[in-house]
Amino acid sequence: MSRKRSIEEINEKIRSGKAVVLTAEQVSAMGKELTPAEITRRVDVVTTATFGPMCSSGAFINFGHSSPPMRMERLTLNNVPAYGGVAAVDAYIGATETAMPYDSYGGAHVIEDLIAGKDILLQATAKGTDCYPRTEIKTFVNKNSVNEFIMFNPRNAYQNYNVAVNSTSKLKFTYMGTLLPLFGNANFSTSGELSPLLNDPDLRTIGIGTRIFFGGTTGYVAWNGTQFNTGKPMNVSGVPVGNAATLALIGDAKQMSTRFIKAVYYEKYGVSMFVGIGIPVPVIDEDMAHRLTIRNSQIQTNIIDYGSGNFEVLGQTDYESLFSGEIILEGKKIRTAPLSSVKVAREIAEILKNEITEGRFLLTEPVALFPKTSGLNKLEIRI
Amino acid sequence: MTSKRFVLTFPPESTGEPITYNLIKRFDIMVNIVKADVSPGKIGRLVMEMTAPAKVLKEGMAYIRQQNVECEPIEKKIHCNEELCIHCGACSAVCFAGALKMNRQTAELVFEPEKCVICELCLKSCPLNLFSIDID
Ligand code: SF4
Ligand code: SF4
C-alpha cells in the first residue's frame, strides 16, 4: 500500500539538504524504466516549468503621493493607458494595452522596462477634489521610486492548449503566430511534459497559496485563473485534451528579471508577454509519481482552424508529434513550430531544482484547493 | 539552386518582349514578381526573384540585358540578432526554405543563412523583431 508523504516531511529533507529533486523531463524518462512505487521512494520533488506568451498578465503600481496630492483618473505610462480607477495613486497596467497608434509598444513593454530599472514617463489627469487638488502631473517613475510594483496575472499557465492551423487561402497573423495558407503550418504553445498543470492534472498539490518561481523570483498562486475549466474531457493518461485549468499568479515585480518576463509583439495581433513560471510538485504518493511520469506522447490536444474565424476542431494530435516537427491531419503532413520556449522553460526547471536541492526554496501546502467546474459561460448578446 | 532578387529597369521605348515568360519557358528559371511598377511610355521597374542553378541565372541575366533592360541583383541578407533570441520557434513556423529550424534536443533555434531565400516572412513573425535585412 502506498504511503502518503506529507509536505512537511519533504520540507524537512529539503532543509537538511537531503531532498532528491528532478525536473519533469528527467522523471518522464525515468518513468520508462521505474515503477511509480520506485520513483516515490527515490524522488521527493519534481520541478515543472513554462515560458510562453500569456496575454492575461499585468501589474499593480502604487506611485506614491505628490505634493499637492492628486487622485489620478486618466493615466498613461510611456503613453500606454493604465487603469486608474483604483484609489488615488494605484493603477493597473495590462500587458496587452498599447500606445495607440504605435501598437507594437504596450503594457508588457512598460512592465519589462520597469523591471529593467528604466525611467517611465507617467502622465495623469484628474478633475481635482478638495482633498486631492492637483489636476495634472507629468513625471518619470521607475521601480525604485514607486511604492509597490506587483505583478498580478489573472490567467497564466494554461493546462494544455490548442494547435493552430489555417484552412483559408490567405496568410493569417494571429496570437498563435503566423499561419501559412492552406494548412501550410501548425503552431502550438506549451512545454508539453515539462508543463506545470499537465504534471498535476487533478490539481492535488497546486492550489491557492502554492509558492512558485515567477518571472525570476518567488511568487504565489493567488487563485484559480480566469476561464478555469476542469470539465474538459480527459484522455487515457488522465490529462485534459485542450485548454482546461489556469492559474492566477502574484509576485513582486521589482524582484523579477527581464530574462523571464519578456514583452512581445505579434504582427497584426498586438502585444503580449512571455512569463516564466516554475512550479515544484511534491511526490506525495504513487499516484502523484505516476502523474509526473507523463510523456509528450501521452498528451493530446485539438487542432483548430484559426484561419476561418469559427475555430472549428479539425482533429487531434500529441506533443511527441508536435515536437518532432510534423503532424498528420487528414492524411496530409503539416510542419509544426512551437511558440513557447522549451529552452527557457528547461532553464527555469533547473533553477528551481537547484534552489530546492540547496535548501533555499521550501514547498507549501495549498491553503485551499481549487473548485471543480464544468464548462465556461458564453457571452450572450441580449440587446 | 540559387535564389536572387533583381531590379529590372525598362526604358520607355521597351521592346515589349515577354521577358518573364521567356525566362520561365526558355531558361527554366523560377520567377516570382515581388513588385511591379510598369506603365507605357515611362521608365518601368520590376523587382523579381529568380531561382535556378547559378549558371542558368547568369544566362538569364545576359538575356534580359540583351533586351536593353537593366538588370541589377539585389544583394540582401537576412540578419538575426541571435543574442536576444528566446528560442520560442515562431520564426521557424514560416521558414519554408529550412533556414530556421528548431533543434529537437537542445530546443534551440538553428539559423542557417546559406539556406535563406530572402522570402522575408520571418521579419514579421519574430515577436521580438530580431530579424533585419542587411543590404550589401
Ligand atoms: S527570409 Fe524566408 S527563407 Fe530567409 S530565413 Fe527568413 S523565413 Fe527563412
Ligand atoms: S521568433 Fe525570434 S525569438 Fe523566437 S526563435 Fe525566432 S528569432 Fe528567436
Side-chain angles (χ1 to χ4, degrees):
Chain A
M1 181 60 202
S2 156
R3 195 174 79 90
K4 197 167 153 53
R5 231 181 325 188
S6 72
I7 304 287
E8 200 29 56
E9 263 175 78
I10 294 173
N11 276 342
E12 207 36 64
K13 280 183 95 172
I14 296 174
R15 278 191 211 100
S16 60
K18 291 195 187 111
V20 177
V21 189
L22 295 181
T23 69
E25 285 185 321
Q26 289 171 323
V27 170
S28 297
M30 201 180 222
K32 288 182 191 161
E33 271 141 38
L34 300 184
T35 65
E38 285 166 319
I39 293 172
T40 315
R41 271 197 298 279
R42 292 189 197 192
V43 186
D44 300 298
V45 184
V46 176
T47 58
T48 66
T50 182
F51 184 60
M54 304 187 199
C55 288
S56 186
S57 299
F60 284 103
I61 304 172
N62 177 287
F63 299 107
H65 284 285
S66 57
S67 174
M70 178 177 186
R71 182 174 171 273
M72 298 177 191
E73 286 164 358
R74 304 269 171 268
L75 66 119
T76 60
L77 294 163
N78 278 359
N79 294 318
V80 180
Y83 181 67
V86 271
V89 292
D90 284 327
Y92 185 78
I93 174 95
T96 65
E97 186 66 81
T98 50
M100 292 304 279
Y102 308 105
D103 75 336
S104 58
Y105 185 91
H109 297 86
V110 172
I111 291 169
E112 189 186 330
D113 284 347
L114 277 169
I115 292 173
K118 291 185 191 165
D119 270 342
I120 299 287
L121 179 68
L122 163 68
Q123 297 180 90
T125 56
K127 63 180 180 293
T129 70
D130 287 346
C131 42
Y132 292 106
R134 186 189 285 272
T135 56
E136 253 180 42
I137 199 164
K138 189 173 186 178
T139 184
F140 285 105
V141 295
N142 61 43
K143 71 171 172 184
N144 298 315
S145 78
V146 300
N147 286 314
E148 286 80 18
F149 174 29
I150 306 165
M151 190 169 293
F152 178 73
N153 299 351
R155 183 173 65 259
N156 280 177
Y158 242 124
Q159 186 181 32
N160 213 344
Y161 210 77
N162 307 323
V163 180
V165 294
N166 171 15
S167 67
T168 73
S169 56
K170 290 211 171 80
L171 187 68
K172 298 273 173 173
F173 295 96
T174 73
Y175 71 86
M176 289 297 284
T178 309
L179 297 174
L180 300 171
L182 304 171
F183 303 103
N185 60 357
N187 296 350
F188 67 102
S189 186
T190 91
S191 51
E193 62 191 27
L194 192 53
S195 178
L197 299 186
L198 288 170
N199 278 284
D200 182 5
D202 292 338
L203 303 160
R204 292 181 60 210
T205 68
I206 302 169
I208 295 165
T210 299
R211 185 180 294 132
I212 61 166
F213 172 104
F214 187 30
T217 186
T218 300
Y220 295 88
V221 174
W223 207 253
N224 59 264
T226 54
Q227 281 170 217
F228 182 87
N229 180 3
T230 57
K232 280 270 163 117
M234 297 277 182
N235 72 3
V236 288
S237 305
V239 293
V241 179
N243 38 357
T246 62
L247 300 176
L249 304 178
I250 192 158
D252 183 2
K254 286 190 181 187
Q255 309 297 326
M256 291 184 180
S257 146
T258 55
R259 170 102 189 119
F260 303 110
I261 296 291
K262 203 98 256 86
V264 292
Y265 170 71
Y266 288 103
E267 178 74 15
K268 290 192 180 153
Y269 168 72
V271 172
S272 185
M273 192 163 84
F274 268 62
V275 181
I277 299 164
I279 303 188
V281 180
V283 187
I284 51 171
D285 56 22
E286 284 177 29
D287 171 66
M288 214 55 238
H290 171 65
R291 299 315 194 109
L292 287 160
T293 60
I294 189 105
R295 289 194 292 278
N296 283 332
S297 59
Q298 299 167 319
I299 310 166
Q300 274 84 34
T301 188
N302 291 321
I303 305 169
I304 295 202
D305 186 0
Y306 274 64
S308 64
N310 58 14
F311 299 95
E312 196 188 335
V313 180
L314 303 175
Q316 272 183 11
T317 185
D318 63 75
Y319 283 91
E320 174 84 9
S321 313
L322 286 164
F323 281 111
S324 79
E326 203 173 81
I327 56 169
I328 295 183
L329 178 64
E330 286 166 12
K332 195 180 164 242
K333 283 184 185 168
I334 306 180
R335 285 184 334 129
T336 61
L339 300 171
S340 98
S341 172
V342 169
K343 182 180 157 66
V344 179
R346 280 182 184 160
E347 196 180 315
I348 293 169
E350 281 297 328
I351 293 174
L352 189 55
K353 175 178 147 177
N354 293 337
E355 293 274 303
I356 300 169
T357 310
E358 288 161 20
R360 290 192 300 271
F361 190 110
L362 293 176
L363 307 194
T364 45
E365 188 92 53
V367 177
L369 291 171
F370 294 133
K372 294 264 178 263
T373 62
S374 55
L376 295 175
N377 292 334
K378 284 249 181 292
L379 177 60
E380 302 292 346
I381 297 166
R382 299 197 297 152
I383 288 175
Chain B
M1 284 296 225
T2 313
S3 268
K4 253 199 171 149
R5 287 190 171 191
F6 298 85
V7 185
L8 275 58
T9 310
F10 294 78
E13 65 284 3
S14 164
T15 57
E17 172 93 11
I19 291 180
T20 47
Y21 176 81
N22 284 340
L23 286 170
I24 299 165
K25 265 287 198 221
R26 289 192 4 213
F27 296 88
D28 199 20
I29 294 176
M30 255 163 69
V31 174
N32 179 21
I33 296 179
V34 181
K35 219 172 165 189
D37 182 12
V38 191
S39 44
K42 283 196 182 148
I43 292 183
R45 280 210 175 78
L46 196 73
V47 181
M48 67 181 194
E49 185 175 75
M50 294 200 276
T51 309
K55 191 173 155 278
V56 179
L57 269 190
K58 270 201 185 141
E59 290 167 11
M61 280 166 74
Y63 160 73
I64 297 169
R65 287 177 180 146
Q66 276 163 24
Q67 309 312 312
N68 208 13
V69 173
E70 280 175 44
C71 175
E72 286 309 314
I74 306 175
E75 300 295 347
K76 275 205 236 170
K77 261 195 243 132
I78 295 288
H79 178 258
C80 175
N81 190 349
E82 286 173 81
E83 247 171 60
L84 297 180
C85 175
I86 56 172
H87 306 277
C88 66
C91 58
S92 70
V94 295
C95 186
F96 252 76
L100 295 162
K101 275 198 198 133
M102 296 308 286
N103 177 308
R104 226 194 141 183
Q105 267 64 50
T106 61
E108 283 175 11
L109 174 74
V110 183
F111 179 34
E112 295 174 275
E114 61 284 1
K115 291 191 181 159
C116 172
V117 299
I118 334 239
C119 74
E120 297 182 16
L121 274 174
C122 54
L123 262 73
K124 289 184 173 178
S125 295
C126 173
L128 293 179
N129 199 15
L130 298 183
F131 291 95
S132 54
I133 304 179
D134 285 349
I135 299 178
D136 292 346

